[in-house]
Amino acid sequence: MLIDPTSGVKAQTPEEAEALTNEGYSKCYGKNFRDGAPCNFHLSPETQQHVLAQGSGYYTCPHCKQSHDLMEDLPWHGAPEEQADYN
């Protein structure tokens, strides 16, 4: 799921990042493609719920353009093995 930049906030300082985390925002754990620095985008709690409600848990960060899984702590939840196309 591609989310738009209004679905979260870019933290400008470590203190702001900590405050956002304390407010329920989820930090993107991607890397900036230009310089390899950690992504500073934080998904809002509402956006997290929307992504999870879609069923897959996957989203693409509007800042670093990388795809991530909000349900990474769960066992496999992608396409069933019998639906995989290996050709």
Side-chain angles (χ1 to χ4, degrees):
M1 158 176 236
L2 180 61
I3 58 174
D4 64 71
T6 63
S7 298
V9 179
K10 284 175 49 180
Q12 302 302 317
T13 65
E15 295 79 18
E16 185 178 2
E18 184 177 348
L20 288 168
T21 300
N22 291 338
E23 294 173 16
Y25 284 72
S26 177
K27 183 181 183 317
C28 174
Y29 49 90
K31 300 279 185 187
N32 189 319
F33 67 92
R34 290 188 185 108
D35 60 10
C39 183
N40 62 352
F41 190 78
H42 290 69
L43 273 71
S44 72
E46 297 81 15
T47 299
Q48 294 171 58
Q49 289 302 315
H50 180 70
V51 170
L52 293 172
Q54 297 301 311
S56 71
Y58 291 94
Y59 72 94
T60 300
C61 176
H63 183 63
C64 70
K65 309 295 188 233
Q66 295 176 3
S67 293
H68 305 289
D69 183 4
L70 286 177
M71 299 189 312
E72 67 181 348
D73 57 325
L74 298 178
W76 173 254
H77 53 274
E81 184 74 24
E82 61 271 7
Q83 290 182 3
D85 183 10
Y86 295 108
N87 295 327

